[in-house]
Amino acid sequence: DVQVDESASIAANRKATIVIEHLIQASDVSHTMQHWDVYCKWNERLFYEMYAAFKSGRTDTNPAPGWYKGELWFFDNYVIPLAKKLKDCGVFGVCSDECLNYALENRNMWEAHGE
């Protein structure tokens, strides 16, 4: 039946679009889902980039006062839910488990050592 084939095709395209959206989001924050040393390296670089912008007057916001709590919020509200979505979509195999595990570990390490 043509209608059934179209529905299946639409569903497959929708799933593919969702997976691509998750990949794009993950690529932007991939350092948060890798080893602690990788996360720290890129987190520190981002902090200093934002701090330099503050010191040079390109932004009014000093990132220092809210950085620690902001990272915890970011893990809890963006990174970990995204890592769970990557796992749930089922197309990444064990890599999605690694992403989620590293995100959870990094969040815990940040809570313990980030301040």
Side-chain angles (χ1 to χ4, degrees), residues 54-111:
F54 168 69
K55 292 297 278 184
S56 70
R58 290 181 286 135
T59 183
D60 295 331
T61 306
N62 180 351
W67 196 260
Y68 172 76
K69 287 185 179 178
E71 284 295 293
L72 292 175
W73 184 94
F74 189 59
F75 273 110
D76 291 342
N77 295 283
Y78 189 82
V79 174
I80 293 169
L82 177 59
K84 287 178 180 177
K85 290 176 190 174
L86 290 171
K87 183 176 179 175
D88 290 345
C89 72
V91 298
F92 300 105
V94 295
C95 291
S96 59
D97 290 331
E98 287 182 8
C99 289
L100 178 57
N101 290 337
Y102 276 128
L104 292 167
E105 288 175 18
N106 288 341
R107 193 257 185 236
N108 291 336
M109 290 289 287
W110 182 258
E111 185 174 35

CSV table of all heavy atoms in Angstrom, one decimal, residues 54-111:
chain,number,residue,atom,x,y,z
A,54,PHE,N,34.9,40.0,29.1
A,54,PHE,CA,34.5,40.9,30.2
A,54,PHE,C,35.5,41.9,30.5
A,54,PHE,O,35.2,43.1,30.6
A,54,PHE,CB,34.2,40.0,31.5
A,54,PHE,CG,34.0,40.8,32.7
A,54,PHE,CD1,32.9,41.6,32.9
A,54,PHE,CD2,34.9,40.8,33.7
A,54,PHE,CE1,32.7,42.4,34.0
A,54,PHE,CE2,34.8,41.5,34.9
A,54,PHE,CZ,33.6,42.3,35.0
A,55,LYS,N,36.8,41.5,30.7
A,55,LYS,CA,37.8,42.5,31.0
A,55,LYS,C,38.0,43.5,29.9
A,55,LYS,O,38.4,44.6,30.2
A,55,LYS,CB,39.1,41.7,31.3
A,55,LYS,CG,39.1,40.8,32.5
A,55,LYS,CD,39.0,41.6,33.8
A,55,LYS,CE,40.3,42.2,34.2
A,55,LYS,NZ,40.2,42.9,35.5
A,56,SER,N,37.8,43.1,28.7
A,56,SER,CA,38.0,44.1,27.6
A,56,SER,C,36.8,44.9,27.3
A,56,SER,O,36.8,45.8,26.4
A,56,SER,CB,38.4,43.3,26.3
A,56,SER,OG,37.3,42.6,25.8
A,57,GLY,N,35.7,44.7,28.0
A,57,GLY,CA,34.5,45.5,27.9
A,57,GLY,C,33.6,45.0,26.8
A,57,GLY,O,32.6,45.7,26.5
A,58,ARG,N,33.8,43.9,26.2
A,58,ARG,CA,32.9,43.4,25.2
A,58,ARG,C,31.7,42.8,25.7
A,58,ARG,O,30.7,42.5,25.0
A,58,ARG,CB,33.7,42.3,24.3
A,58,ARG,CG,34.7,43.0,23.4
A,58,ARG,CD,35.4,42.0,22.5
A,58,ARG,NE,36.4,41.2,23.4
A,58,ARG,CZ,36.5,39.9,23.3
A,58,ARG,NH1,35.8,39.2,22.5
A,58,ARG,NH2,37.3,39.2,24.1
A,59,THR,N,31.6,42.5,27.0
A,59,THR,CA,30.4,42.1,27.7
A,59,THR,C,30.4,42.7,29.1
A,59,THR,O,31.5,42.9,29.7
A,59,THR,CB,30.3,40.5,27.8
A,59,THR,OG1,29.1,40.2,28.4
A,59,THR,CG2,31.5,39.9,28.5
A,60,ASP,N,29.2,42.9,29.6
A,60,ASP,CA,29.1,43.4,31.0
A,60,ASP,C,29.1,42.3,32.1
A,60,ASP,O,29.1,42.6,33.3
A,60,ASP,CB,27.8,44.2,31.1
A,60,ASP,CG,27.8,45.4,30.2
A,60,ASP,OD1,28.9,46.0,30.0
A,60,ASP,OD2,26.7,45.8,29.8
A,61,THR,N,29.1,41.1,31.6
A,61,THR,CA,28.9,40.0,32.6
A,61,THR,C,30.3,39.3,32.9
A,61,THR,O,30.9,38.7,32.0
A,61,THR,CB,28.0,38.9,32.0
A,61,THR,OG1,26.8,39.5,31.6
A,61,THR,CG2,27.7,37.8,33.0
A,62,ASN,N,30.7,39.3,34.2
A,62,ASN,CA,31.8,38.6,34.7
A,62,ASN,C,31.4,37.2,34.9
A,62,ASN,O,30.5,36.9,35.7
A,62,ASN,CB,32.3,39.2,36.0
A,62,ASN,CG,33.5,38.5,36.6
A,62,ASN,OD1,33.9,37.5,36.1
A,62,ASN,ND2,34.0,39.1,37.6
A,63,PRO,N,32.0,36.2,34.2
A,63,PRO,CA,31.6,34.8,34.3
A,63,PRO,C,31.9,34.2,35.6
A,63,PRO,O,31.3,33.2,36.0
A,63,PRO,CB,32.3,34.1,33.1
A,63,PRO,CG,33.5,34.9,32.9
A,63,PRO,CD,33.1,36.4,33.2
A,64,ALA,N,32.9,34.8,36.4
A,64,ALA,CA,33.4,34.1,37.5
A,64,ALA,C,32.4,33.8,38.6
A,64,ALA,O,32.3,32.7,39.1
A,64,ALA,CB,34.6,34.9,38.1
A,65,PRO,N,31.6,34.8,39.0
A,65,PRO,CA,30.7,34.5,40.2
A,65,PRO,C,29.7,33.3,40.0
A,65,PRO,O,29.4,32.6,40.9
A,65,PRO,CB,29.9,35.8,40.4
A,65,PRO,CG,30.8,36.8,39.7
A,65,PRO,CD,31.5,36.2,38.6
A,66,GLY,N,29.2,33.1,38.8
A,66,GLY,CA,28.2,32.1,38.5
A,66,GLY,C,28.7,30.9,37.8
A,66,GLY,O,28.0,30.0,37.5
A,67,TRP,N,30.1,30.8,37.6
A,67,TRP,CA,30.6,29.7,36.8
A,67,TRP,C,30.3,28.3,37.4
A,67,TRP,O,29.8,27.4,36.7
A,67,TRP,CB,32.1,29.9,36.5
A,67,TRP,CG,32.6,29.0,35.4
A,67,TRP,CD1,33.2,27.9,35.5
A,67,TRP,CD2,32.4,29.3,34.0
A,67,TRP,NE1,33.5,27.4,34.2
A,67,TRP,CE2,33.1,28.3,33.3
A,67,TRP,CE3,31.8,30.3,33.3
A,67,TRP,CZ2,33.1,28.2,31.9
A,67,TRP,CZ3,31.9,30.3,31.9
A,67,TRP,CH2,32.5,29.2,31.2
A,68,TYR,N,30.7,28.1,38.6
A,68,TYR,CA,30.5,26.8,39.3
A,68,TYR,C,29.1,26.4,39.2
A,68,TYR,O,28.8,25.3,38.7
A,68,TYR,CB,31.0,26.9,40.7
A,68,TYR,CG,30.7,25.7,41.5
A,68,TYR,CD1,31.5,24.5,41.3
A,68,TYR,CD2,29.7,25.6,42.4
A,68,TYR,CE1,31.2,23.3,42.1
A,68,TYR,CE2,29.4,24.5,43.2
A,68,TYR,CZ,30.2,23.3,43.0
A,68,TYR,OH,29.9,22.2,43.7
A,69,LYS,N,28.1,27.1,39.7
A,69,LYS,CA,26.7,26.7,39.7
A,69,LYS,C,26.2,26.7,38.3
A,69,LYS,O,25.3,25.8,38.0
A,69,LYS,CB,25.9,27.7,40.6
A,69,LYS,CG,26.1,27.5,42.0
A,69,LYS,CD,25.2,28.4,42.9
A,69,LYS,CE,25.5,28.1,44.3
A,69,LYS,NZ,24.6,29.0,45.2
A,70,GLY,N,26.7,27.5,37.4
A,70,GLY,CA,26.2,27.5,36.0
A,70,GLY,C,26.6,26.2,35.3
A,70,GLY,O,25.8,25.7,34.5
A,71,GLU,N,27.7,25.7,35.6
A,71,GLU,CA,28.1,24.4,35.0
A,71,GLU,C,27.3,23.3,35.5
A,71,GLU,O,26.9,22.4,34.8
A,71,GLU,CB,29.6,24.1,35.3
A,71,GLU,CG,30.6,24.9,34.5
A,71,GLU,CD,30.5,24.6,33.0
A,71,GLU,OE1,30.8,23.4,32.6
A,71,GLU,OE2,30.0,25.4,32.2
A,72,LEU,N,27.0,23.3,36.8
A,72,LEU,CA,26.1,22.2,37.4
A,72,LEU,C,24.7,22.3,36.7
A,72,LEU,O,24.1,21.3,36.3
A,72,LEU,CB,25.9,22.4,38.9
A,72,LEU,CG,27.2,22.1,39.7
A,72,LEU,CD1,26.9,22.4,41.2
A,72,LEU,CD2,27.6,20.7,39.5
A,73,TRP,N,24.2,23.5,36.6
A,73,TRP,CA,22.9,23.7,35.9
A,73,TRP,C,23.0,23.2,34.5
A,73,TRP,O,22.0,22.5,34.0
A,73,TRP,CB,22.5,25.2,35.9
A,73,TRP,CG,21.1,25.4,35.3
A,73,TRP,CD1,19.9,25.4,36.0
A,73,TRP,CD2,20.8,25.5,33.9
A,73,TRP,NE1,18.9,25.6,35.1
A,73,TRP,CE2,19.4,25.7,33.8
A,73,TRP,CE3,21.5,25.5,32.8
A,73,TRP,CZ2,18.7,25.8,32.6
A,73,TRP,CZ3,20.9,25.7,31.5
A,73,TRP,CH2,19.5,25.8,31.5
A,74,PHE,N,24.0,23.5,33.8
A,74,PHE,CA,24.2,23.1,32.4
A,74,PHE,C,24.2,21.6,32.3
A,74,PHE,O,23.6,21.0,31.4
A,74,PHE,CB,25.5,23.7,31.8
A,74,PHE,CG,25.6,23.6,30.3
A,74,PHE,CD1,24.7,24.1,29.5
A,74,PHE,CD2,26.8,22.9,29.8
A,74,PHE,CE1,24.9,23.9,28.1
A,74,PHE,CE2,27.0,22.8,28.5
A,74,PHE,CZ,26.0,23.3,27.6
A,75,PHE,N,25.0,20.9,33.1
A,75,PHE,CA,25.0,19.4,33.1
A,75,PHE,C,23.6,18.9,33.4
A,75,PHE,O,23.1,18.0,32.7
A,75,PHE,CB,25.9,18.9,34.2
A,75,PHE,CG,27.3,18.7,33.7
A,75,PHE,CD1,28.3,19.5,34.2
A,75,PHE,CD2,27.7,17.8,32.8
A,75,PHE,CE1,29.6,19.4,33.8
A,75,PHE,CE2,29.0,17.6,32.3
A,75,PHE,CZ,30.0,18.4,32.8
A,76,ASP,N,22.9,19.4,34.4
A,76,ASP,CA,21.6,18.9,34.8
A,76,ASP,C,20.5,19.1,33.8
A,76,ASP,O,19.6,18.3,33.6
A,76,ASP,CB,21.2,19.4,36.2
A,76,ASP,CG,22.1,19.0,37.3
A,76,ASP,OD1,22.8,17.9,37.1
A,76,ASP,OD2,22.0,19.6,38.4
A,77,ASN,N,20.6,20.3,33.1
A,77,ASN,CA,19.4,20.7,32.3
A,77,ASN,C,19.7,20.6,30.8
A,77,ASN,O,18.7,20.8,30.0
A,77,ASN,CB,19.0,22.1,32.7
A,77,ASN,CG,18.5,22.2,34.1
A,77,ASN,OD1,17.3,21.8,34.3
A,77,ASN,ND2,19.3,22.7,35.0
A,78,TYR,N,20.9,20.4,30.4
A,78,TYR,CA,21.2,20.3,29.0
A,78,TYR,C,22.0,19.1,28.6
A,78,TYR,O,21.6,18.2,27.8
A,78,TYR,CB,21.9,21.6,28.5
A,78,TYR,CG,22.0,21.6,27.0
A,78,TYR,CD1,21.0,22.1,26.2
A,78,TYR,CD2,23.2,21.2,26.3
A,78,TYR,CE1,21.1,22.1,24.8
A,78,TYR,CE2,23.3,21.3,25.0
A,78,TYR,CZ,22.3,21.7,24.2
A,78,TYR,OH,22.3,21.8,22.8
A,79,VAL,N,23.2,18.9,29.2
A,79,VAL,CA,24.2,17.9,28.8
A,79,VAL,C,23.6,16.5,29.1
A,79,VAL,O,23.6,15.6,28.2
A,79,VAL,CB,25.5,18.1,29.5
A,79,VAL,CG1,26.5,17.0,29.2
A,79,VAL,CG2,26.1,19.4,29.0
A,80,ILE,N,23.2,16.2,30.4
A,80,ILE,CA,22.8,14.9,30.7
A,80,ILE,C,21.5,14.5,30.0
A,80,ILE,O,21.4,13.4,29.5
A,80,ILE,CB,22.7,14.8,32.3
A,80,ILE,CG1,24.1,14.8,32.8
A,80,ILE,CG2,22.0,13.5,32.7
A,80,ILE,CD1,24.2,15.0,34.3
A,81,PRO,N,20.5,15.4,29.9
A,81,PRO,CA,19.3,15.1,29.1
A,81,PRO,C,19.7,14.8,27.7
A,81,PRO,O,19.1,13.9,27.1
A,81,PRO,CB,18.4,16.3,29.3
A,81,PRO,CG,18.8,16.9,30.6
A,81,PRO,CD,20.3,16.7,30.7
A,82,LEU,N,20.6,15.5,27.1
A,82,LEU,CA,21.0,15.3,25.7
A,82,LEU,C,21.7,13.9,25.6
A,82,LEU,O,21.4,13.2,24.7
A,82,LEU,CB,21.9,16.4,25.2
A,82,LEU,CG,22.5,16.3,23.8
A,82,LEU,CD1,21.4,16.1,22.8
A,82,LEU,CD2,23.4,17.4,23.5
A,83,ALA,N,22.6,13.6,26.5
A,83,ALA,CA,23.2,12.3,26.5
A,83,ALA,C,22.2,11.2,26.6
A,83,ALA,O,22.4,10.1,26.0
A,83,ALA,CB,24.3,12.2,27.6
A,84,LYS,N,21.2,11.4,27.4
A,84,LYS,CA,20.1,10.4,27.5
A,84,LYS,C,19.4,10.2,26.2
A,84,LYS,O,19.0,9.1,25.8
A,84,LYS,CB,19.2,10.7,28.6
A,84,LYS,CG,19.8,10.5,30.0
A,84,LYS,CD,18.8,10.9,31.1
A,84,LYS,CE,19.5,10.6,32.5
A,84,LYS,NZ,18.6,11.1,33.6
A,85,LYS,N,19.1,11.3,25.5
A,85,LYS,CA,18.5,11.3,24.2
A,85,LYS,C,19.3,10.6,23.2
A,85,LYS,O,18.8,9.8,22.4
A,85,LYS,CB,18.2,12.7,23.7
A,85,LYS,CG,17.1,13.4,24.5
A,85,LYS,CD,16.9,14.8,24.0
A,85,LYS,CE,16.0,15.7,24.8
A,85,LYS,NZ,16.0,17.1,24.4
A,86,LEU,N,20.6,10.8,23.2
A,86,LEU,CA,21.5,10.1,22.3
A,86,LEU,C,21.5,8.6,22.6
A,86,LEU,O,21.4,7.8,21.6
A,86,LEU,CB,23.0,10.6,22.5
A,86,LEU,CG,23.3,12.0,22.0
A,86,LEU,CD1,24.7,12.4,22.4
A,86,LEU,CD2,23.1,12.1,20.5
A,87,LYS,N,21.4,8.2,23.8
A,87,LYS,CA,21.3,6.8,24.2
A,87,LYS,C,20.0,6.2,23.7
A,87,LYS,O,19.9,5.2,23.1
A,87,LYS,CB,21.5,6.6,25.7
A,87,LYS,CG,21.5,5.2,26.1
A,87,LYS,CD,21.8,5.0,27.6
A,87,LYS,CE,21.7,3.5,27.9
A,87,LYS,NZ,22.1,3.3,29.3
A,88,ASP,N,18.9,7.0,24.0
A,88,ASP,CA,17.5,6.5,23.7
A,88,ASP,C,17.3,6.3,22.2
A,88,ASP,O,16.5,5.5,21.8
A,88,ASP,CB,16.5,7.4,24.2
A,88,ASP,CG,16.4,7.4,25.8
A,88,ASP,OD1,17.0,6.4,26.3
A,88,ASP,OD2,15.8,8.3,26.3
A,89,CYS,N,17.9,7.1,21.3
A,89,CYS,CA,17.7,7.0,19.9
A,89,CYS,C,18.3,5.7,19.3
A,89,CYS,O,17.9,5.3,18.3
A,89,CYS,CB,18.1,8.3,19.1
A,89,CYS,SG,19.9,8.5,19.0
A,90,GLY,N,19.2,5.1,20.1
A,90,GLY,CA,19.7,3.8,19.7
A,90,GLY,C,20.6,3.6,18.5
A,90,GLY,O,20.8,2.5,18.1
A,91,VAL,N,21.1,4.7,17.9
A,91,VAL,CA,21.9,4.5,16.7
A,91,VAL,C,23.4,4.6,17.0
A,91,VAL,O,24.2,4.4,16.1
A,91,VAL,CB,21.5,5.5,15.6
A,91,VAL,CG1,20.0,5.3,15.2
A,91,VAL,CG2,21.7,6.9,16.1
A,92,PHE,N,23.8,4.8,18.2
A,92,PHE,CA,25.2,5.0,18.5
A,92,PHE,C,25.9,3.9,19.3
A,92,PHE,O,27.0,3.9,19.6
A,92,PHE,CB,25.4,6.3,19.3
A,92,PHE,CG,24.9,7.5,18.5
A,92,PHE,CD1,23.7,8.1,18.9
A,92,PHE,CD2,25.6,8.0,17.5
A,92,PHE,CE1,23.2,9.2,18.2
A,92,PHE,CE2,25.1,9.1,16.8
A,92,PHE,CZ,23.9,9.7,17.1
A,93,GLY,N,25.1,2.8,19.6
A,93,GLY,CA,25.7,1.7,20.3
A,93,GLY,C,26.3,2.1,21.6
A,93,GLY,O,25.8,2.9,22.3
A,94,VAL,N,27.4,1.5,21.9
A,94,VAL,CA,28.1,1.7,23.2
A,94,VAL,C,28.6,3.1,23.3
A,94,VAL,O,28.9,3.6,24.5
A,94,VAL,CB,29.2,0.7,23.5
A,94,VAL,CG1,28.7,-0.7,23.6
A,94,VAL,CG2,30.3,0.7,22.4
A,95,CYS,N,28.8,3.8,22.2
A,95,CYS,CA,29.3,5.2,22.3
A,95,CYS,C,28.3,6.1,23.1
A,95,CYS,O,28.8,6.9,23.8
A,95,CYS,CB,29.5,5.8,20.9
A,95,CYS,SG,30.8,5.0,20.0
A,96,SER,N,27.0,5.8,23.0
A,96,SER,CA,26.1,6.6,23.7
A,96,SER,C,26.2,6.3,25.2
A,96,SER,O,26.0,7.2,26.0
A,96,SER,CB,24.7,6.4,23.2
A,96,SER,OG,24.3,5.0,23.3
A,97,ASP,N,26.5,5.1,25.6
A,97,ASP,CA,26.7,4.8,27.0
A,97,ASP,C,27.9,5.5,27.5
A,97,ASP,O,27.8,6.1,28.6
A,97,ASP,CB,26.9,3.3,27.2
A,97,ASP,CG,25.7,2.4,26.9
A,97,ASP,OD1,24.6,3.0,27.2
A,97,ASP,OD2,25.8,1.3,26.5
A,98,GLU,N,28.9,5.6,26.7
A,98,GLU,CA,30.1,6.3,27.1
A,98,GLU,C,29.8,7.8,27.3
A,98,GLU,O,30.3,8.4,28.3
A,98,GLU,CB,31.3,6.2,26.1
A,98,GLU,CG,31.9,4.8,26.2
A,98,GLU,CD,33.0,4.7,25.2
A,98,GLU,OE1,33.4,5.7,24.6
A,98,GLU,OE2,33.6,3.6,25.0
A,99,CYS,N,29.1,8.4,26.4
A,99,CYS,CA,28.7,9.8,26.5
A,99,CYS,C,28.0,10.1,27.8
A,99,CYS,O,28.3,11.0,28.5
A,99,CYS,CB,27.9,10.2,25.3
A,99,CYS,SG,28.8,10.3,23.7
A,100,LEU,N,27.0,9.3,28.0
A,100,LEU,CA,26.2,9.5,29.2
A,100,LEU,C,27.0,9.3,30.5
A,100,LEU,O,26.9,10.1,31.4
A,100,LEU,CB,25.0,8.6,29.2
A,100,LEU,CG,24.0,8.6,30.5
A,100,LEU,CD1,23.5,10.1,30.7
A,100,LEU,CD2,22.9,7.7,30.3
A,101,ASN,N,27.8,8.2,30.5
A,101,ASN,CA,28.6,7.9,31.7
A,101,ASN,C,29.6,9.1,32.0
A,101,ASN,O,29.8,9.5,33.1
A,101,ASN,CB,29.3,6.6,31.6
A,101,ASN,CG,28.4,5.4,31.7
A,101,ASN,OD1,27.3,5.5,32.2
A,101,ASN,ND2,28.8,4.3,31.1
A,102,TYR,N,30.3,9.5,30.9
A,102,TYR,CA,31.2,10.7,31.1
A,102,TYR,C,30.5,11.9,31.5
A,102,TYR,O,31.0,12.7,32.4
A,102,TYR,CB,32.0,10.9,29.8
A,102,TYR,CG,33.2,10.1,29.7
A,102,TYR,CD1,33.4,9.4,28.5
A,102,TYR,CD2,34.2,9.9,30.6
A,102,TYR,CE1,34.6,8.6,28.3
A,102,TYR,CE2,35.3,9.2,30.5
A,102,TYR,CZ,35.5,8.5,29.3
A,102,TYR,OH,36.6,7.7,29.2
A,103,ALA,N,29.3,12.2,31.0
A,103,ALA,CA,28.6,13.4,31.4
A,103,ALA,C,28.2,13.3,32.9
A,103,ALA,O,28.4,14.3,33.6
A,103,ALA,CB,27.3,13.5,30.6
A,104,LEU,N,27.8,12.1,33.3
A,104,LEU,CA,27.4,12.0,34.8
A,104,LEU,C,28.7,12.1,35.6
A,104,LEU,O,28.7,12.7,36.7
A,104,LEU,CB,26.7,10.6,35.0
A,104,LEU,CG,25.4,10.5,34.3
A,104,LEU,CD1,24.9,9.0,34.3
A,104,LEU,CD2,24.3,11.4,35.1
A,105,GLU,N,29.8,11.4,35.2
A,105,GLU,CA,31.0,11.5,36.0
A,105,GLU,C,31.6,12.9,36.0
A,105,GLU,O,32.0,13.4,37.1
A,105,GLU,CB,32.1,10.6,35.4
A,105,GLU,CG,31.8,9.1,35.6
A,105,GLU,CD,32.8,8.2,34.8
A,105,GLU,OE1,33.9,8.7,34.5
A,105,GLU,OE2,32.5,7.0,34.6
A,106,ASN,N,31.5,13.6,34.9
A,106,ASN,CA,32.1,15.0,34.9
A,106,ASN,C,31.2,15.9,35.8
A,106,ASN,O,31.7,16.8,36.4
A,106,ASN,CB,32.2,15.5,33.5
A,106,ASN,CG,33.3,14.9,32.7
A,106,ASN,OD1,34.2,14.3,33.3
A,106,ASN,ND2,33.2,14.9,31.4
A,107,ARG,N,29.9,15.7,35.7
A,107,ARG,CA,29.0,16.5,36.6
A,107,ARG,C,29.4,16.3,38.1
A,107,ARG,O,29.5,17.2,38.9
A,107,ARG,CB,27.6,16.1,36.3
A,107,ARG,CG,26.6,17.1,36.9
A,107,ARG,CD,26.0,16.5,38.2
A,107,ARG,NE,25.0,17.4,38.7
A,107,ARG,CZ,25.0,17.9,39.9
A,107,ARG,NH1,26.0,17.6,40.8
A,107,ARG,NH2,24.0,18.7,40.4
A,108,ASN,N,29.6,15.0,38.4
A,108,ASN,CA,30.0,14.7,39.8
A,108,ASN,C,31.3,15.2,40.2
A,108,ASN,O,31.5,15.7,41.3
A,108,ASN,CB,29.9,13.2,40.1
A,108,ASN,CG,28.5,12.7,40.0
A,108,ASN,OD1,27.5,13.4,40.3
A,108,ASN,ND2,28.3,11.4,39.7
A,109,MET,N,32.3,15.1,39.3
A,109,MET,CA,33.6,15.6,39.5
A,109,MET,C,33.6,17.2,39.7
A,109,MET,O,34.3,17.7,40.5
A,109,MET,CB,34.6,15.2,38.4
A,109,MET,CG,34.9,13.8,38.4
A,109,MET,SD,36.0,13.3,39.8
A,109,MET,CE,37.6,14.0,39.2
A,110,TRP,N,32.8,17.8,38.8
A,110,TRP,CA,32.7,19.3,38.9
A,110,TRP,C,32.1,19.7,40.2
A,110,TRP,O,32.5,20.6,40.9
A,110,TRP,CB,31.8,19.8,37.7
A,110,TRP,CG,31.8,21.3,37.8
A,110,TRP,CD1,30.7,22.1,38.2
A,110,TRP,CD2,32.8,22.2,37.4
A,110,TRP,NE1,31.0,23.4,38.1
A,110,TRP,CE2,32.3,23.5,37.6
A,110,TRP,CE3,34.1,22.1,36.9
A,110,TRP,CZ2,33.1,24.7,37.4
A,110,TRP,CZ3,34.8,23.2,36.6
A,110,TRP,CH2,34.3,24.5,36.9
A,111,GLU,N,31.1,19.0,40.6
A,111,GLU,CA,30.4,19.3,41.9
A,111,GLU,C,31.5,19.2,43.1
A,111,GLU,O,31.5,20.0,44.0
A,111,GLU,CB,29.2,18.4,42.2
A,111,GLU,CG,28.5,18.7,43.5
A,111,GLU,CD,27.2,17.9,43.6
A,111,GLU,OE1,27.2,16.7,43.2
A,111,GLU,OE2,26.3,18.5,44.2
